[in-house]
């Protein structure tokens, strides 16, 4: 016994060491400046941004300023870190009429304030910038600014910056932990074009130089990557939706030539709203309205301004990610990106290492949409079908404090973990109340993975910590091993942590029942000779006969 115990401890050490080697990367000082809450960030809390810019589609330039308003939450500090990525240049910073010194360090810019910063007081600093921003290579994944032309040869321009960071196109405190409380976005464009950003359009100013400025106002907290510009020859249509919190304005902005197609395809927007208000609770940004805005790339969850580029067809670019047929029943981009209004925009991860909070729940929301309109069988078939894209290459949770995302398995492995948890709770009304509760209790908050894990365990009354550890922090899928010998059925977990003890449903001789395996063998006497053993496919585990 003693020897065995030491041996497994040794194996664990070897495993921990090799997995660290396999998963670690080299991170730079710039990664830490970007990904951690530095001393030059922690002492001030964002209250308001006014981003005021001119976008020139011919020159492919952006120029303007961001007025950053903040409250001092720690005294004795006088240096602010503001982020802006080259080739854009931060040219000037002003506080109360006085120009400030700036020390530039790559993407981070340290602004030295002259005035004493009094605790609890609100100050603002206006930061000026200009240049040719990074061109998006593969938006939305490798983002920046997309400069395209529509079918009529008019400019069609948009920002996308998740992961890469909003500082790729505007100066800001580029870390998820601090969401600004409200924001104004003023964008000057050639007068034959329109800019659509977040929140509500409050004013359009006609300028003498053949341009117009569109002023948008956001009254709810917003994360940096949710802020966006979309510039094109847009036409507008809209509707009022009677939702859980009253009348919701749903507005659609599409390229002039696509109006008829959009009026048909965007019927999925109110369907999505209906399904997700049912499962997750009220849409979290009634005051800012809901918009669907055509963009020159696939799509992104920009807050209250979901961007759309799925080609006006169902599925994901016209194909079914689950290969079950159910994926063709809805427009993937409308459903998925709108799902993020609850998980990403309402509940936001503090560190991008915990991005599963955005993607696992939202990938999971696709099957809840199906559940609402087509029933439980359809939804289960869909989420099980998406397992084909799981890679189990590295853990879902990334490395903290260095702006590092975990594996792309945060989408469908995460969705299948949540589907498995739904089985374990075995009470859909309770599961729904947990999903709605998350959106109520973490309303407009930035959270970490532990808060989400604890919430689900606490509200369900089931300790899911071993389940979360297994699926989020390792690449191993639990394997149910079994042996049959006459009337005896023996079973245990393999390929899991020693403490893993998740119950599971199996059909022995065709009859489903719950069993509670641990990593030690247990036996069960059956009435008849054990001939067939099947797994309930709703559990994301594998089954194998043998030792
Ligand atoms: Zn997503």
């Amino acid at each position: 016994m003693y020897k065995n115990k030491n041996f497994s401890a040794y194996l664990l050490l070897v495993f921990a060491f090799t997995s660290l080697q396999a998963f670690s990367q080299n991170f730079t000082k710039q990664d830490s400046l970007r990904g951690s809450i530095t001393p030059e960030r922690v002492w001030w809390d964002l209250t308001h941004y006014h981003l005021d810019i001119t976008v020139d589609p011919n020159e492919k330039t952006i120029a303007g300023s961001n007025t950053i308003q903040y409250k001092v939450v720690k005294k004795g500090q006088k240096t602010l870190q503001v982020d802006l990525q080259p080739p854009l240049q931060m040219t000037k910073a002003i506080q109360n009429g006085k120009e400030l010194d700036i020390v530039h360090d790559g993407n981070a810019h340290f602004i030295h304030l002259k005035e004493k910063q009094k605790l609890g007081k609100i100050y603002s600093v206006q930061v000026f910038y200009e240049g040719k921003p990074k061109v998006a290579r593969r938006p939305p994944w490798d983002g920046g600014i997309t400069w395209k032309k529509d079918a009529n040869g008019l400019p069609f321009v948009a920002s996308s910056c998740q992961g890469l960071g909003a500082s790729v196109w505007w100066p800001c405190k580029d870390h998820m932990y601090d969401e600004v409380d409200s924001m104004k976005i003023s964008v000057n464009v050639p007068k034959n074009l329109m800019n659509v950003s977040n929140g509500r359009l409050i004013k359009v100013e006609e300028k003498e130089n053949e341009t117009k400025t569109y002023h948008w106002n956001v009254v709810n907290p917003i994360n940096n990557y949710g802020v966006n510009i979309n510039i094109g020859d847009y036409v507008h249509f809209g509707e009022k939706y009677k939702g859980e919190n009253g009348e919701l304005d749903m507005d659609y902005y599409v390229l002039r030539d696509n109006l008829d197609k959009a009026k048909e395809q965007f019927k999925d927007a109110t369907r999505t709203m209906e399904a997700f208000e049912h499962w997750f609770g009220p849409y979290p940004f009634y005051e800012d309205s809901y918009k669907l805005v055509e963009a020159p790339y696939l799509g992104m969850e920009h807050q209250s301004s979901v961007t759309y580029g799925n080609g006006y067809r169902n599925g994901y670019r016209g194909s079914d990610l689950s290969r079950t047929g159910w994926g063709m029943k809805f427009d993937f981009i409308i459903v998925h990106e709108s799902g993020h209004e609850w998980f990403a925009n309402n509940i936001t991860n503090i560190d991008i290492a915990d991005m599963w909070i955005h993607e696992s729940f939202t990938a999971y929301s696709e099957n809840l949409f199906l559940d609402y309109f087509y029933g439980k069988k359809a939804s289960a078939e869909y989420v099980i079908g998406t397992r084909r894209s799981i890679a189990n290459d590295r853990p879902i949770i990334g490395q903290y404090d260095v702006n590092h995302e975990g594996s792309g398995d945060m989408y469908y492995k995460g969705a299948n973990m949540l589907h498995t948890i739904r089985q374990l709770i075995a009470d859909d009304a309770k599961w729904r109340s947990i999903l709605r509760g998350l959106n109520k209790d973490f309303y407009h908050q930035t959270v970490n993975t532990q808060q989400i894990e604890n919430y689900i365990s606490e509200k369900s009354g089931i300790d899911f910590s071993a389940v979360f550890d297994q699926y989020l922090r390792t690449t191993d899928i639990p394997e149910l091993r079994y042996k049959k010998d006459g009337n005896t059925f023996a079973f245990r977990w393999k390929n899991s942590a020693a403490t893993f003890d998740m119950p599971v449903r199996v059909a022995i001789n065709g009859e489903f029942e719950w069993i509670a395996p641990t990593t030690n063998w247990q036996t069960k006497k059956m009435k008849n000779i054990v001939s067939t053993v099947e797994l309930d496919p709703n559990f994301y585990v594998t089954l194998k006969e043998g030792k």
Side-chain angles (χ1 to χ4, degrees), residues 162 301 336 340 349 351-364 366 389-398 404-418 471-472:
Q162 190 184 18
E301 64 257 30
H336 179 95
H340 278 306
N349 56 231
D351 190 302
I352 201 167
D354 287 340
M355 195 172 144
W356 76 275
I357 297 167
H358 298 191
E359 297 302 347
S360 298
F361 283 95
T362 301
Y364 179 69
E366 296 156 23
S389 64
I390 299 173
N392 282 314
D393 52 349
R394 55 194 181 90
I396 286 178
I397 292 181
H404 180 251
E405 289 174 19
S407 165
D409 283 345
M410 70 176 84
Y411 288 80
Y412 292 107
K413 184 178 170 185
N416 275 283
M417 175 188 77
L418 293 170
Y471 291 102
L472 298 177

Side-chain angles (χ1 to χ4, degrees), residues 62-66 82 84 87-94 99-104 109 111 126-131 171:
I62 298 183
S65 70
N66 186 18
V82 175
L84 182 69
L88 287 172
Q89 287 189 317
M90 191 179 288
T91 52
K92 195 164 64 171
I94 291 178
E99 193 170 336
L100 307 165
D101 291 336
I102 310 172
V103 175
H104 308 279
H109 307 267
I111 300 173
Q126 189 175 12
V127 174
F128 293 83
Y129 77 111
E130 61 185 43

Side-chain angles (χ1 to χ4, degrees), residues 198-216:
N198 314 74
R200 290 186 188 266
L201 182 61
I202 51 168
K203 193 163 72 172
V204 183
E205 260 184 288
E206 301 234 8
K207 302 280 184 179
E208 278 170 13
N209 64 350
E210 305 285 295
T211 64
K212 279 182 183 171
T213 302
Y214 289 84
H215 299 277
W216 292 83

Side-chain angles (χ1 to χ4, degrees), residues 283-313:
Y283 171 72
F285 309 104
Y286 269 70
E287 305 81 359
D288 286 324
S289 80
Y290 169 91
K291 291 180 291 305
L292 205 48
V293 185
E294 184 167 352
Y297 60 88
L298 183 60
M300 180 50 72
E301 64 257 30
H302 299 115
Q303 184 173 311
S304 77
S305 169
V306 170
T307 46
Y308 177 87
N310 200 31
Y312 299 100
R313 54 200 170 155

